[in-house]
């Protein structure tokens, strides 16, 4: 008999028919007359109940059915009398694929802490919580492609290994095939990278933006969606060393177009998840965050507040709130500042624009005041910065001057500057941290819990 996924069992056409299901046992309980098994196959957060009439099965047959074991059951799908489920399967045949010794299988009881499950990241996808999170994550990835494809954006694949540092933060993972115990040296006694695999120093990319701009100034509108890497030693609930970023880049866009796109985009993704992952979101809301659905709907129903960094800093300076980090014009805003604006002051998502040029990357378009750049950060409740973007400096002279000012090696940037030399156009784009979006939509509080196998300082297990 052909296997039916548990999510499809709940459709009316299977009722009263013989079905075949395969999955992992969550629990078994019962007495000597009847045994109940809750089975999950990952297709939905819902388990299906399987009823074993012990007049037809022996204790010996059911003995291997412990939490975590994998089985196949054929039987009749009937309406359930019991509480908590609409249908159940009256088992006719049982096959055990794999047992899970109760002495050693770690996921015995319900309600393991998220910290405990992080240590068991190889098995945590089998819990209801991580099943739900991973399904929401998958749906959001699909929504992102759908949003851009429906709007005529092209998916551009930018390199993961690069010789340029887009954000200029200097926190990159070096890529080399040199023997670290026996490094070739040049006359000055420095490492001779001409002997390295690419003939020069390379690293994992922190952002696909620079190459994204090459795509946008040819195809008009592109987006990237791939892994990015940051070697910053920030052990926070919002930072990963390896995270996924979505970076749209659009020719002929100014910062207002960019803000409109960012707001539409993020609302689209949230709505998609609410429309398509309701069981999973409801499960997460029930177990972790009672206000989750309300918060998601609230974002959909409200226009984001748009204000300048200067106005934002003024509000922060005038507030009575005690911040851990000082706030003044020119300071890089901390998560506590961002969240104060969003959660306490406006009680709405906020797009902050026109930051001081000193605290933003070299490629951002300089404003007429010569002090601020056309940057935009989208700030979200519980998250802080979820999107960072800007209108780009399209003027060749201004951009080269900025590159020189910041001591960025010009020889590495010639290809980027060529976009400003040949047919330069106004353009803009932004980057959405995928895991920060998944955090927001699932109501989780630690970014390590929304990516299957997190990479953070001192942690590259699994
Ligand atoms: O603000 P960031 O550094 O901007 C860029 O990389 C630009 N090149 C984007 C662009 O304009 N095309 O990063 C963008 C977003 C942040 O807003 C945040 O959501 C996320 O990426 N992010 C991280 N997420 C997880 N862990 C980290 N260490 C992150 N660093 C940034
Ligand atoms: Mg940023």
């Amino acid at each position: 008999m052909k296997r039916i996924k548990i999510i499809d069992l709940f459709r009316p056409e299977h009722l009263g028919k013989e079905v075949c299901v395969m999955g992992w046992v969550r629990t078994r309980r019962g007495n000597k007359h009847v045994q109940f098994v809750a089975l999950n196959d990952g297709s939905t957060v819902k388990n299906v109940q399987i009823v074993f009439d012990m007049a037809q099965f022996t204790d010996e047959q059911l003995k291997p059915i412990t939490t975590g074991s994998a089985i196949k059951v054929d039987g009749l799908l009937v309406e359930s009398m019991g509480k908590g489920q609409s249908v159940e399967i009256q088992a006719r045949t049982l096959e055990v694929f794999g047992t899970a010794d109760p002495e050693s299988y770690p996921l015995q009881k319900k309600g393991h802490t998220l910290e405990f499950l992080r240590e068991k990241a190889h098995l945590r996808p089998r819990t209801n919580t991580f099943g739900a999170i991973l399904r929401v994550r998958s749906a959001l990835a699909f929504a992102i492609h759908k949003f851009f494809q429906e709007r005529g954006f092209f998916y551009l694949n930018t390199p993961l290994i690069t010789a340029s540092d887009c954000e200029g933060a200097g926190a990159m993972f070096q890529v080399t095939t040199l023997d670290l115990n026996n490094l070739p040296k040049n006359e000055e006694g420095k490492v001779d990278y001409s002997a390295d695999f690419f003939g020069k120093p390379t690293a994992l990319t922190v952002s696909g933006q620079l190459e994204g701009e090459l795509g946008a100034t040819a195809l008009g509108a592109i987006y990237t969606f791939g892994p990015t890497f940051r070697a910053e030693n920030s052990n926070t609930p919002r930072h990963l060393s390896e995270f996924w970023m979505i970076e749209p880049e659009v020719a002929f866009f100014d910062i207002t177009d960019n803000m409109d796109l960012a707001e539409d985009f993020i609302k689209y993704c949230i709505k998609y998840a609410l429309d398509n992952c309701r069981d999973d979101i409801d499960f997460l809301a029930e177990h972790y965050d009672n206000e989750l659905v309300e918060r998601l709907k609230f974002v959909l129903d409200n226009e984001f507040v748009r204000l300048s960094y200067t106005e934002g800093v003024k509000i922060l300076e005038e507030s009575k709130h005690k911040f851990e980090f000082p706030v003044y014009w020119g300071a890089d805003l901390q998560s506590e500042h961002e969240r104060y604006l969003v959660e306490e002051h406006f009680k709405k998502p906020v797009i902050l624009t026109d930051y001081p040029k000193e605290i933003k990357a070299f490629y951002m378009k300089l404003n007429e005041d010569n002090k601020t750049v056309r940057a935009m950060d989208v700030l979200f409740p519980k998250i802080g910065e979820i999107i960072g973007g800007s209108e780009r400096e399209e003027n060749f002279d201004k951009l080269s001057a900025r590159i020189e000012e910041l001591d960025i090696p010009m020889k590495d940037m010639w290809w980027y500057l060529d976009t400003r030399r040949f047919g330069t156009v106004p353009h803009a784009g932004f980057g959405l941290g995928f895991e920060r979006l998944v955090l927001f939509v699932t109501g989780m509080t630690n970014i390590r819990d929304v990516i299957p196998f997190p990479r953070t300082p001192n942690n590259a297990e699994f």
Side-chain angles (χ1 to χ4, degrees):
M1 214 189 310
K2 200 165 168 288
R3 173 194 168 211
I4 298 179
K5 287 190 186 174
I6 290 172
I7 193 167
D8 296 327
L9 278 184
F10 301 103
R11 294 210 308 253
E13 68 254 35
H14 298 296
L15 200 63
K17 304 238 169 74
E18 286 283 317
V19 294
C20 164
V21 290
M22 304 181 192
W24 293 269
V25 171
R26 285 290 157 80
T27 56
R28 173 159 72 93
R29 64 186 173 84
N31 53 43
K32 62 180 192 291
H33 304 296
V34 60
Q35 290 276 314
F36 301 100
V37 168
L39 193 73
N40 189 283
D41 67 358
S43 62
T44 163
V45 74
K46 291 185 192 152
N47 301 328
V48 67
Q49 172 159 283
I50 300 172
V51 186
F52 288 88
D53 177 354
M54 293 311 283
Q56 295 173 40
F57 291 88
T58 62
D59 287 348
E60 205 51 35
Q61 269 179 300
L62 262 72
K63 212 170 146 202
I65 306 189
T66 57
T67 297
S69 61
I71 62 171
K72 169 186 173 185
V73 171
D74 289 349
L76 189 65
L77 187 73
V78 297
E79 260 177 74
S80 175
M81 303 300 212
K83 268 204 341 230
Q85 67 262 331
S86 53
V87 293
E88 63 189 23
I89 297 171
Q90 294 171 346
R92 202 170 41 75
T93 67
L94 163 71
E95 189 185 321
V96 177
F97 289 126
T99 57
D101 180 1
E103 296 296 312
S104 45
Y105 185 63
L107 306 180
Q108 286 304 332
K109 61 176 173 71
K110 282 187 177 177
H112 285 301
T113 65
L114 294 170
E115 289 77 12
F116 172 83
L117 292 173
R118 250 170 251 152
E119 310 274 304
K120 311 278 180 239
H122 59 311
L123 293 171
R124 69 179 182 172
R126 292 197 198 169
T127 62
N128 287 336
T129 298
F130 284 88
I133 294 167
L134 295 179
R135 281 185 295 271
V136 171
R137 185 179 164 108
S138 169
L140 283 170
F142 182 71
I144 286 162
H145 283 292
K146 194 159 144 40
F147 175 87
F148 287 118
Q149 295 286 334
E150 282 171 0
R151 283 158 187 76
F153 285 61
F154 299 101
Y155 179 37
L156 186 79
N157 299 122
T158 52
L160 299 190
I161 300 176
T162 174
S164 56
D165 177 0
C166 174
E167 292 306 300
M172 300 179 87
F173 289 101
Q174 205 179 333
V175 173
T176 179
T177 54
L178 292 177
D179 177 358
L180 297 184
N181 291 309
N182 185 21
L183 290 170
K185 298 279 171 68
N186 60 22
E187 283 122 53
E188 295 159 43
K190 298 223 171 100
V191 176
D192 178 13
Y193 284 104
S194 69
D196 202 351
F197 191 90
F198 296 105
K200 58 175 164 184
T202 51
L204 294 177
T205 189
V206 297
S207 158
Q209 179 196 320
L210 301 187
E211 292 88 352
E213 288 183 51
L214 307 181
T217 52
L219 302 171
I222 63 91
Y223 67 104
T224 71
F225 187 175
T228 49
F229 308 86
R230 304 220 175 161
E232 59 208 17
N233 198 0
S234 21
N235 251 310
T236 83
R238 279 176 296 277
H239 287 87
L240 290 164
S241 312
E242 176 180 302
F243 66 98
W244 287 63
M245 188 153 47
I246 298 96
E247 296 187 273
E249 191 71 34
V250 195
F252 318 111
F253 251 34
D254 66 15
I255 191 171
T256 307
D257 302 320
N258 208 29
M259 287 192 277
D260 292 343
L261 180 71
E263 186 166 341
D264 287 350
F265 171 50
I266 214 157
K267 284 179 169 168
Y268 180 96
C269 293
I270 293 169
K271 181 163 189 321
Y272 186 89
L274 271 174
D275 290 347
N276 293 277
C277 310
R278 203 46 200 264
D279 288 345
D280 290 321
I281 290 176
D282 284 345
F283 174 87
L284 294 167
E286 187 187 329
H287 290 88
Y288 295 96
D289 181 352
N290 295 329
E291 290 159 14
L292 177 60
V293 174
E294 211 174 286
R295 193 178 318 114
L296 298 179
K297 287 188 174 159
F298 181 77
V299 167
L300 295 185
D301 294 342
N302 281 283
E303 274 183 26
F304 298 1
V305 174
R306 300 178 183 192
L307 89 160
S308 72
Y309 167 92
T310 303
E311 293 167 291
V313 166
K314 197 154 169 269
I315 292 169
L316 292 168
E317 281 176 330
E318 284 167 5
S319 96
K320 292 193 177 64
H321 191 92
K322 287 261 171 304
F323 295 111
E324 192 187 334
F325 293 91
V327 58
Y328 51 90
W329 199 95
D332 205 355
L333 297 187
Q334 303 294 325
S335 176
E336 57 170 345
H337 305 132
E338 297 171 340
R339 290 182 59 178
Y340 176 84
L341 290 174
V342 172
E343 292 165 23
E344 311 285 328
H345 189 83
F346 289 108
K347 298 193 169 35
K348 272 184 203 174
V350 171
I351 310 183
L352 218 51
T353 61
D354 304 291
Y355 284 71
K357 66 176 179 185
E358 285 77 16
I359 56 171
K360 288 292 181 188
F362 74 95
Y363 49 71
M364 296 191 181
K365 187 178 173 72
L366 193 61
N367 280 319
E368 289 68 33
D369 62 11
N370 268 319
K371 288 197 318 211
T372 58
V373 286
R374 249 165 256 186
M376 50 164 253
D377 278 8
V378 180
L379 313 178
F380 254 45
K382 303 262 247 182
I383 307 286
E385 178 189 340
I386 194 164
I387 281 180
S390 72
E391 191 173 329
R392 318 305 189 190
E393 183 57 77
E394 86 273 19
N395 180 286
F396 179 85
D397 294 329
K398 286 189 190 168
L399 184 61
S400 335
R402 192 74 185 126
I403 288 177
E404 246 167 62
E405 229 168 77
L406 292 171
D407 256 343
I408 301 169
M410 204 67 109
K411 67 172 188 356
D412 295 339
M413 284 292 161
W414 64 271
W415 50 272
Y416 183 68
L417 280 164
D418 266 6
T419 53
R420 278 56 169 180
R421 196 179 274 130
F422 308 119
T424 190
V425 290
H427 61 290
F430 60 80
L432 168 75
F434 186 46
E435 285 74 18
R436 296 207 182 161
L437 175 67
V438 184
L439 259 184
F440 184 73
V441 173
T442 58
M444 291 289 111
T445 50
N446 193 314
I447 202 162
R448 292 165 182 80
D449 296 332
V450 297
I451 185 165
F453 306 105
R455 296 289 176 257
T456 50
N458 285 314
N459 177 33
E461 195 69 41
F462 311 107

